[in-house]
Amino acid sequence: MTRKNPKQTRQRLLQTAFQEMHAHGFQGMRVDEILRQSGLQKGAFYHHFGSKTELGYAILEEQIKPLIEEVWLAPLADINNPVQDLPRFLDSLGERITPAMREHGCPLNNLAQEMARLDDGFQKRIASLFTEWVTAFQTVLEKGQQHGYIRKNVDCHQVARFLVAVLEGCIGLFKVEHSAEQWQACRTQLAVYMTSLEPNSTQ
Amino acid sequence: MTRKNPKQTRQRLLQTAFQEMHAHGFQGMRVDEILRQSGLQKGAFYHHFGSKTELGYAILEEQIKPLIEEVWLAPLADINNPVQDLPRFLDSLGERITPAMREHGCPLNNLAQEMARLDDGFQKRIASLFTEWVTAFQTVLEKGQQHGYIRKNVDCHQVARFLVAVLEGCIGLFKVEHSAEQWQACRTQLAVYMTSLEPNSTQ
DNA sequence: AAATACAAACCAACCAGTCTGTTTGCAGGA
DNA sequence: TCCTGCAAACAGACTGGTTGGTTTGTATTT
């Protein structure tokens, strides 16, 4: 007999929904399809989530946010020399990336571009997540600056914002055209940019 | 008496649909809403377009493509020194930008991120448009290289790909957080990157 | 016993697309 | 120039499937 396990049920719904949203976008994601894939019924769904929109918020907070923290924030905290290690980190990321991410790109940016201007609840949560990400970059850059890897006159907050934009842009273009050439261009030119932040660079 | 004017009718449908798609995405765009706004009926719509998807293709080819050519490709062709003029062009673009673009970002990238992996017809048309854009950048960069504004060992095709990615990334982040700070960060750091391509730069 | 955690039938609104009929534009003949 | 036939250009009612959400009932847990 299958025992009732609310936490597991909720988690199953969340994970299935995350995959569906990642693939089809929030508007393209269908509640019925989530139920079909997870083998559950409407009763289970609307017991755990008030609406499709609230499910979206939950995906953002309980699936995407931990993912960002695991894939980006945690590794960033271990970096000493951003100029050298950031491009290198991109390489390792390109190798470790899951098929779903290769195929559908960054789930945060996808949701951001689709829903940020349509729903204020999404907007605030997304902006908050991006801020976390920018801050993580800023911290690494400032640490690198203190160690002399980066010029003193570099605005680390500005560079951090730029880096997040660049990464999302690169992932986005790679999603359109799955060519190694596209990823290589972004990886190499990002290294070029990072080098230009070094003290011995002419600025 | 309102005379029949098929070309004007089609154009009206296309323009209204473009605005709706820009605001709500392709999946969020409603045929009924387009008809309501344009004051037309189903008969008119399905006389001019075979389906919603074909309308999407038409928007891409007859609205977005000319827009890209007008806003990006044409001005790029007039640039002599990319290192100086590209950041400057971004400034003027930030001033001349329409409210709709401010609000909803780049219509090409929006459509790309939403539909490229869901529909092959979109995928091919979008990839083709991005290629045009990359090529335009590449041409400018190579011209600048011949005039000595850019180092000889710079891979212009790679830089062009990177620039398109960066721009889409910057526009995308600005769409999420409408702050002057965000746009300034992208504009300034792009100038930093461009400078690093100059001959006197240490690479 | 009471609250929680579901199953499953049900519903109303929505939405892309169809169908039928009507009006308009226009080419060609008298 | 005027009439006529016909195709193009619509209007508008209709449809069938979809979709988010509700409701009622039941099993499980505490």
Side-chain angles (χ1 to χ4, degrees):
Chain A
M1 171 116 49
T2 53
R3 293 162 44 81
K4 288 193 178 180
N5 192 334
K7 286 190 181 179
Q8 186 182 305
T9 300
R10 184 189 152 91
Q11 207 60 20
R12 182 121 68 104
L13 286 168
L14 263 181
Q15 285 171 5
T16 312
F18 172 56
Q19 291 170 19
E20 276 296 295
M21 192 170 99
H22 197 193
H24 303 105
F26 176 74
Q27 298 182 105
M29 168 181 77
R30 303 299 169 202
V31 174
D32 285 353
E33 179 62 20
I34 296 167
L35 296 175
R36 199 190 61 80
Q37 284 186 32
S38 57
L40 293 162
Q41 298 293 331
K42 281 282 171 74
F45 184 90
Y46 283 95
H47 174 73
H48 288 286
F49 304 99
S51 66
K52 185 187 172 184
T53 302
E54 281 192 19
L55 169 70
Y57 298 162
I59 295 175
L60 199 45
E61 288 165 353
E62 299 172 44
Q63 297 282 123
I64 296 182
K65 184 174 175 179
L67 190 70
I68 300 279
E69 281 168 353
E70 180 200 333
V71 176
W72 291 98
L73 305 200
L76 281 181
D78 294 333
I79 286 183
N80 273 314
N81 182 351
V83 178
Q84 278 188 16
D85 295 346
L86 223 63
R88 202 174 295 171
F89 172 63
L90 276 196
D91 289 338
S92 78
L93 198 71
E95 292 163 11
R96 290 180 297 113
I97 200 170
T98 63
M101 295 297 161
R102 266 188 111 77
E103 198 64 22
H104 305 118
C106 173
L108 173 60
N109 199 43
N110 290 357
L111 193 60
Q113 298 310 312
E114 183 188 2
M115 296 305 296
R117 291 282 124 187
L118 292 180
D119 182 288
D120 209 54
F122 278 119
Q123 148 76 24
K124 281 173 182 156
R125 289 167 172 84
I126 289 166
S128 153
L129 249 176
F130 270 120
T131 300
E132 268 191 59
W133 197 357
V134 169
T135 305
F137 266 115
Q138 186 179 348
T139 305
V140 183
L141 291 165
E142 283 170 348
K143 203 171 71 179
Q145 203 172 32
Q146 283 163 13
H147 286 77
Y149 297 122
I150 291 176
R151 259 178 295 116
K152 293 295 181 188
N153 66 337
V154 166
D155 183 338
C156 290
H157 182 62
Q158 211 177 62
V159 173
R161 281 177 178 270
F162 183 65
L163 283 178
V164 171
V166 168
L167 289 173
E168 292 295 19
C170 291
I171 296 172
L173 260 207
F174 183 73
K175 179 178 160 184
V176 174
E177 187 190 331
H178 269 183
S179 71
E181 200 182 353
Q182 182 64 49
W183 187 251
Q184 194 57 31
C186 291
R187 187 265 176 221
T188 306
Q189 296 307 313
L190 189 78
V192 168
Y193 167 71
M194 291 304 295
T195 305
S196 78
L197 302 177
E198 282 183 331
N200 60 329
S201 177
T202 59
Q203 283 286 333
Chain B
M1 171 114 49
T2 52
R3 294 161 46 80
K4 288 193 179 183
N5 191 336
K7 287 189 181 181
Q8 185 181 306
T9 299
R10 185 190 152 88
Q11 206 59 20
R12 181 120 68 104
L13 286 167
L14 262 181
Q15 286 171 4
T16 312
F18 172 56
Q19 291 171 18
E20 276 296 294
M21 192 170 99
H22 196 193
H24 302 104
F26 177 77
Q27 297 182 106
M29 169 180 78
R30 305 299 169 202
V31 173
D32 285 352
E33 180 61 21
I34 296 168
L35 297 175
R36 200 190 61 79
Q37 284 184 32
S38 57
L40 293 161
Q41 299 292 333
K42 280 282 170 74
F45 184 89
Y46 283 95
H47 174 73
H48 287 285
F49 304 98
S51 67
K52 185 186 170 184
T53 303
E54 281 192 20
L55 169 70
Y57 298 162
I59 295 175
L60 198 46
E61 289 166 353
E62 299 171 43
Q63 296 282 122
I64 296 181
K65 184 175 175 178
L67 190 70
I68 298 279
E69 282 169 353
E70 179 200 333
V71 176
W72 291 98
L73 306 200
L76 281 182
D78 294 334
I79 286 183
N80 272 315
N81 183 351
V83 178
Q84 278 187 16
D85 295 344
L86 223 65
R88 201 175 296 170
F89 172 63
L90 276 196
D91 289 339
S92 78
L93 198 71
E95 293 163 10
R96 291 179 297 114
I97 199 169
T98 62
M101 295 296 162
R102 266 189 113 76
E103 198 65 23
H104 305 118
C106 173
L108 173 59
N109 199 43
N110 290 358
L111 194 59
Q113 298 310 312
E114 183 188 2
M115 296 305 296
R117 291 281 124 188
L118 292 181
D119 182 289
D120 209 54
F122 277 119
Q123 148 76 25
K124 283 173 183 158
R125 289 167 172 83
I126 289 167
S128 152
L129 250 175
F130 270 121
T131 300
E132 268 190 59
W133 197 356
V134 168
T135 304
F137 266 115
Q138 187 180 347
T139 305
V140 182
L141 291 166
E142 284 170 349
K143 202 171 71 178
Q145 204 171 33
Q146 284 165 12
H147 287 75
Y149 296 122
I150 292 176
R151 260 178 293 116
K152 293 295 180 187
N153 67 334
V154 165
D155 182 339
C156 290
H157 182 63
Q158 209 176 63
V159 173
R161 280 176 178 269
F162 183 65
L163 283 178
V164 171
V166 168
L167 289 173
E168 292 296 17
C170 291
I171 296 172
L173 261 207
F174 183 73
K175 178 179 162 186
V176 174
E177 188 189 333
H178 268 184
S179 71
E181 200 183 351
Q182 182 65 48
W183 186 250
Q184 193 57 31
C186 290
R187 186 265 176 221
T188 305
Q189 296 307 314
L190 189 79
V192 168
Y193 167 71
M194 292 304 295
T195 305
S196 77
L197 301 178
E198 281 183 332
N200 59 329
S201 178
T202 59
Q203 283 285 334

